């Protein structure tokens, strides 16, 4: 019998040191850890099963719903170039781009839209690009005949692709989904608001189509909210991953009607801090609210030749279409926060949101979230205070337990890092997105859990479960409060499980239940944390891969921090066994991962071959790998295929590309280099000279990229643009007019790069050995294989105070020599 004092409780705690099979202590330890493990496994399984896209509907689905089967039929027609041949890549300005646009116009008419092709020249300073875009635009008039500015819903998807692949997932699937949505809207009761469908051009190289519409089209003033569909892979749920500021009304409207949500405001916080962009970026920067959807499963196919029809998930296409239709109907019924005549700045409250196992979307105003964070802190203080008052714990020991908890988590992270190092030594940890990720994931999870149980054993040497639980509650409560103000979209990940933990802790009544109550409270918090974190953890792995142990370990450590009281209470049995088994599983998983190939034809690595030719001097093949270590016989075969004189490239002639794997000498091709011609100039009072010039690709390249260095400013169409890299998209042989303001002192250098996507017949025949040596586990990506012609010019001040242009020769070692001066 205990008298309720700390000494009595200590006697109870000492029982935990009995042997694993000695009386009730071992049974209590097993129950504690078993409850925690079972809670984690069951909740995580429910979340993963629920977070899957819905099965696609058939062609005979009701006409007023969006059918994935019908969308797939549209997609097949869009993707076919001639008969059964799949469309080649569709970068802006290419013939394939034009053919796809023609098919898109036909499909618009097929579903009852009246499309127009809006051709405009546009300059984007944000992305550093300019060119002529050809957007396909159609408008469904709403039944309420609302015509005031800011009353229409804009639906966007882009039909262009990168140079390496056909872009079926990114983003032709979204085009097909929106066409099916348009058909369903016309077949149903329609909408009160106008719905504008924008199938834009030139997204992949500067968001130029969306920018052209937003800058110049008269319908842009009518846009009040945006629904954008994107992809970064070919499978997975269609996640609503981004919103604009003041998102409460839009998210709450969608949440009230969506049936299979996959969304969290954490992704909004993450995306705002990343350099990635979509077409919605153009509108978000203008203060227009929106809902941005994407699927990101199997990211290894993204921007590659196997982003094709065969690898696209019909379920992902269905989810895209269903989400878009639900969003449009929900936003149509919502009250927009800005009335006609007001400024186009949508100021309103934000919400934190998350889905529960893919079945319902929970939204919380930030004021509510901050109240809950404060409440969690109050409950934490009450729970800890009652535990101290009931002599369950001593306050000073709780304080000492806080750095011990931090040390324990550091130990677990160190063990996970050790597993990552082992994977790297075995050749399995150097690829962020391996073809067979399961052994790597299992190994990292097992190592993290083993590290946690090992750390809990260290904690158990000095602290009881109740002391660890009280210290944990204090840390999490203050962390949740800070997150609620600094990163509110992610605060619910900590606030809600801490609230559960604090609520259970504050209800403790008797000292005799001290350790057990804190263990149970921790398991309760662990279940809530697992519910919130599991989907996010797999989403992070899908987005960033398994190359870093922290990608897997960090979310798991946060979740299992709630289970630390149960882990501490599980020593010496069964936590010690979990440590041993976890380490064994981690070692076996690392060994298995080391035997599996890093890439497969279905989930390949990325390797580009580019022929680079300066205007004078030697040409070269540059071989570039992205996050794809290539060694051994494959590397030797690739080098030998280009003549055997391969070496590490000493010059990166293509400054925006990945770092070259190696370079090899190449024969020059008969192609005229890019040109820069001065057509006029104007002296300024400050001594500077404004030079009007024309850049041109005589061979009709797919892109013309300029770099200006020195005391000079580059302008295009009167707009000052970034000088490091500026691209004209799809120039063909047309002149690209520019203005360069040269300062009164010094000279300015201008580099002009003429890019062409793909290898023509002659280059392909010269590279035949390389193309055969490149295994099917390595594929072109992004811009893909191609050729680049390079010219470098110097704008100099002549004796009359004007500006002349001098062409410089570029040679392989990076030196330059004057190649003749012309004015």
């Amino acid at each position: 019998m205990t008298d309720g004092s700390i000494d009595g409780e200590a006697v109870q705690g000492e029982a935990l040191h009995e042997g694993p099979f000695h009386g009730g202590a071992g049974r209590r330890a097993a129950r504690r850890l078993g409850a925690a493990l079972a809670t984690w496994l069951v909740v995580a399984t429910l979340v993963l099963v629920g977070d899957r896209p819905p099965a696609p509907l058939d062609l005979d689905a009701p006409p007023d719903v969006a059918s994935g089967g019908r969308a797939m039929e549209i997609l097949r027609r869009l993707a076919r170039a001639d008969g059964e041949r799949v469309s080649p890549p569709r970068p802006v300005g290419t013939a394939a781009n034009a053919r796809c646009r023609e098919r898109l116009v036909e499909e618009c008419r097929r579903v009852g839209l009246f499309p127009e092709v809006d051709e405009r020249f546009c300059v984007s300073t944000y992305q550093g690009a300019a060119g002529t875009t050809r957007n396909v635009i159609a408008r469904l008039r709403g039944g309420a005949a609302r015509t005031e500015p800011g009353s229409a819903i804009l639906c966007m998807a882009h039909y262009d692709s990168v140079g390496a692949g056909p872009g079926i997932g990114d983003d032709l699937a979204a085009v097909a989904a929106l066409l099916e949505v348009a058909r369903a809207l016309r077949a149903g009761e329609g909408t009160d608001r106008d719905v504008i469908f924008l199938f834009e051009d030139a997204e992949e190289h500067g968001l130029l189509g969306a920018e052209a519409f937003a800058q110049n089209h008269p319908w842009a003033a009518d846009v009040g909210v945006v629904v954008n569909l994107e992809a970064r892979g070919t499978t997975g749920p269609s996640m609503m991953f981004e919103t604009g500021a003041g998102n409460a009304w839009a998210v709450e409207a969608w949440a009230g009607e969506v049936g299979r949500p996959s969304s969290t405001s954490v992704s909004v916080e993450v995306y705002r801090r990343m350099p990635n962009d979509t077409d919605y970026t153009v509108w978000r920067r203008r203060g227009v609210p929106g809902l941005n959807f994407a699927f990101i499963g199997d990211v290894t196919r993204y921007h590659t030749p196997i982003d094709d029809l065969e690898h696209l998930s019909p379920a992902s296409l269905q989810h895209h279409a269903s989400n878009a239709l639900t969003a449009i109907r929900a936003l149509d019924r919502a009250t927009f926060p800005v009335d006609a005549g007001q400024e186009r700045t949508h100021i309103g409250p934000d919400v934190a949101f998350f889905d529960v196992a893919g079945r319902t979307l929970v939204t919380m105003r930030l004021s509510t979230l901050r109240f809950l964070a404060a409440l969690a802190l109050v409950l934490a203080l009450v729970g800890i205070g009652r535990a101290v008052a009931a002599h369950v714990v001593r306050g000073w020991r709780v304080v000492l337990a806080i750095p011990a908890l931090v040390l324990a988590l550091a130990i677990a992270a160190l063990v996970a890092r050790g597993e990552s190092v082992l994977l790297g030594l075995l050749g399995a940890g150097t690829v962020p997105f391996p073809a067979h990720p399961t052994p790597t994931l299992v190994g990292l999870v097992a190592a993290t859990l083993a590290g946690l149980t090992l750390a809990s054993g260290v904690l158990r040497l000095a602290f009881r479960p109740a002391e660890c639980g009280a210290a944990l509650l204090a840390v999490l409560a203050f962390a949740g409060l800070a997150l609620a103000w600094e990163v509110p979209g992610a605060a619910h990940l900590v606030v809600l499980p801490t609230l559960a933990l604090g609520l259970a802790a504050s209800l403790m009544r008797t000292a005799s239940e001290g350790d057990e109550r804190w263990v149970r409270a921790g398991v309760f918090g662990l279940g809530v944390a697992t519910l919130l974190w599991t989907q996010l953890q797999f989403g992070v792995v899908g987005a960033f891969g398994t190359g870093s142990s922290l990608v897997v370990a960090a979310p798991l450590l946060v979740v299992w921090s709630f289970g630390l009281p149960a882990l501490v209470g599980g020593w010496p049995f069964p936590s010690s066994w979990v440590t041993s088994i976890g380490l064994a599983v981690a070692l076996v998983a690392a060994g298995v991962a080391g035997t599996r190939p890093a890439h497969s034809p279905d989930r390949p690595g990325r390797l580009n071959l580019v022929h680079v030719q300066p205007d004078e001097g030697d040409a070269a093949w540059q071989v570039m790998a992205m996050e794809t270590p290539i060694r051994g016989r494959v590397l030797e075969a690739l080098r030998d295929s280009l003549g055997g004189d391969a070496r590490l490239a000493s010059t990166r002639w293509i400054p925006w590309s990945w770092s070259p794997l190696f370079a090899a000498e190449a024969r020059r091709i008969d192609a005229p280099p890019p040109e820069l011609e001065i057509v006029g100039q104007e002296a300024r009072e400050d001594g500077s000279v404004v030079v009007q010039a024309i850049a041109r690709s005589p061979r009709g390249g797919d892109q013309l990229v300029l770099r200006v260095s020195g005391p000079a400013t580059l302008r295009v169409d009167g707009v000052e643009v970034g000088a490091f890299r500026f691209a004209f998209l799809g120039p063909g042989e047309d002149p690209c007019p520019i203005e360069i303001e040269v300062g009164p002192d010094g000279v300015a250098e201008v580099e002009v790069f003429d890019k062409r996507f793909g290898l023509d017949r002659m280059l392909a025949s010269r590279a035949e050995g390389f193309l055969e040596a490149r295994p099917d586990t390595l594929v072109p990506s992004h811009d893909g294989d191609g050729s680049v012609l390079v010219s470098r010019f110097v704008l100099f001040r002549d004796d009359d105070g004007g500006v002349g242009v001098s062409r410089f020769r570029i040679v392989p070692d990076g030196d330059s020599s004057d190649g003749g001066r012309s004015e």
Side-chain angles (χ1 to χ4, degrees), residues 455-608:
S456 68
V458 176
L459 281 174
R460 186 67 186 91
L461 296 175
F463 301 97
R464 293 175 26 244
E467 294 164 343
C468 295
L472 175 72
L473 181 56
V475 171
L476 292 173
F478 281 104
L481 194 65
L483 286 173
W485 262 266
E486 297 299 324
V487 194
H492 65 276
L493 293 174
V494 175
V495 170
L496 295 184
T498 304
L499 189 63
L501 177 61
L503 183 63
S506 66
L507 295 178
M508 285 189 297
R509 295 181 180 178
T510 62
S512 62
E513 291 184 302
D515 279 340
E516 287 300 326
R517 180 73 72 157
W518 281 98
V519 168
R520 293 171 189 169
V523 172
F524 186 34
L526 172 66
V528 177
T530 304
L531 183 68
L532 298 175
W533 280 85
T534 300
Q535 178 194 27
L536 175 66
Q537 177 159 22
F538 278 83
V540 169
V541 170
F544 300 104
T546 58
S548 170
S549 61
L550 284 179
V551 172
V552 178
L556 200 59
L557 290 175
V558 175
V559 170
W560 268 97
S561 66
F562 291 90
L564 274 175
L567 296 178
V568 171
W571 275 89
F573 175 85
S575 290
S576 57
W577 282 93
V578 173
T579 300
S580 301
I581 294 172
L583 290 175
V585 170
L587 289 173
V588 171
V592 172
T595 64
R596 308 307 299 271
H599 306 292
S600 70
D602 195 50
R603 292 176 178 173
R606 298 160 186 260
L607 186 72
N608 288 354

Side-chain angles (χ1 to χ4, degrees), residues 44 53 198 216 251 307 373 417 522 548 581 619 687 729 738 748 786 810:
L198 171 60
N216 303 306
V251 174
D307 179 10
R417 176 58 184 164
S548 170
I581 294 172
L729 309 183
I738 60 175
I810 304 177

Side-chain angles (χ1 to χ4, degrees), residues 144-466:
R146 302 189 67 162
T147 59
E148 68 271 17
S151 65
I153 302 170
L154 176 65
C155 300
M156 296 196 303
H158 65 90
Y159 69 89
D160 68 307
S161 76
V162 295
I168 299 301
D170 179 27
D171 193 35
L172 208 59
V175 174
L178 286 184
L179 287 169
E180 168 62 8
V181 166
R183 186 211 56 75
L185 288 174
R186 294 190 71 254
E189 297 179 355
T191 57
D192 288 337
R193 300 179 183 276
D194 286 4
V195 180
I196 300 170
F197 291 91
L198 171 60
F199 304 106
E200 69 271 10
D201 193 9
E203 187 272 350
E204 294 292 1
H205 296 96
L207 315 179
L208 213 56
E211 192 70 55
F213 179 85
Q215 285 184 17
N216 303 306
H217 199 282
W219 290 354
D222 300 334
V223 175
V225 67
V226 175
V227 175
N228 187 61
L229 301 186
E230 260 290 356
R232 191 172 177 262
T234 62
T235 64
S238 173
M239 299 184 295
M240 199 281 286
F241 69 97
E242 184 187 19
T243 68
N247 63 15
W249 71 277
V251 174
E252 289 172 348
W254 182 61
E257 300 197 22
V258 63
R260 294 290 295 272
S262 178
S263 187
T264 172
S265 52
V266 181
S267 64
V268 178
E269 295 284 4
V270 172
Y271 209 75
R272 287 174 180 172
R273 291 162 173 79
M274 291 177 64
N276 302 48
D277 294 297
T278 69
D279 280 320
Y280 175 58
T281 304
V282 171
W283 296 95
R284 190 197 69 221
R285 295 174 65 239
R286 286 170 165 80
V288 179
L291 303 175
N292 204 357
F293 298 86
F295 48 82
I296 63 170
D298 287 305
V299 70
T300 50
R301 301 166 187 163
Y302 172 67
H303 283 183
T304 72
I306 62 170
D307 179 10
D308 54 17
L309 285 169
E310 287 69 27
H311 290 92
L312 178 71
S313 166
S316 300
L317 179 60
Q318 174 67 61
H319 207 190
H320 242 8
S322 298
N323 274 337
L325 182 59
T326 303
I328 293 168
R329 286 174 170 161
L331 295 171
D332 179 53
R333 286 188 277 270
T335 300
F336 284 16
V338 173
D339 295 327
Q342 293 185 346
E343 294 184 3
R344 291 287 300 281
T345 301
H346 296 259
I347 300 175
D350 278 320
V351 289
F353 53 91
F354 58 92
D355 72 271
V356 179
R359 290 301 182 268
T360 186
L361 191 70
V362 178
T363 64
M364 288 185 293
R365 297 291 177 101
L366 297 192
S367 56
T368 302
L369 182 63
R370 287 164 179 161
F371 169 77
L372 293 177
L375 178 61
L377 179 59
V378 171
L379 289 174
L381 296 176
V382 170
I384 296 171
R386 294 190 66 177
V388 172
H391 305 295
V392 174
V393 297
R394 287 191 174 101
W396 64 271
R397 288 184 61 79
V398 173
V399 173
L400 286 179
I402 292 176
L405 288 173
V406 175
L407 177 61
L409 295 176
I411 291 173
L414 189 62
V415 174
R417 176 58 184 164
E419 174 73 1
S420 184
V421 171
L422 178 60
L423 287 165
L425 292 175
L426 295 174
T430 55
V431 179
F433 299 98
H436 306 281
T438 301
T440 300
L441 281 173
V442 169
L444 289 172
V445 169
T448 304
L449 288 178
L452 278 165
T453 52
L454 176 64
S456 68
V458 176
L459 281 174
R460 186 67 186 91
L461 296 175
F463 301 97
R464 293 175 26 244

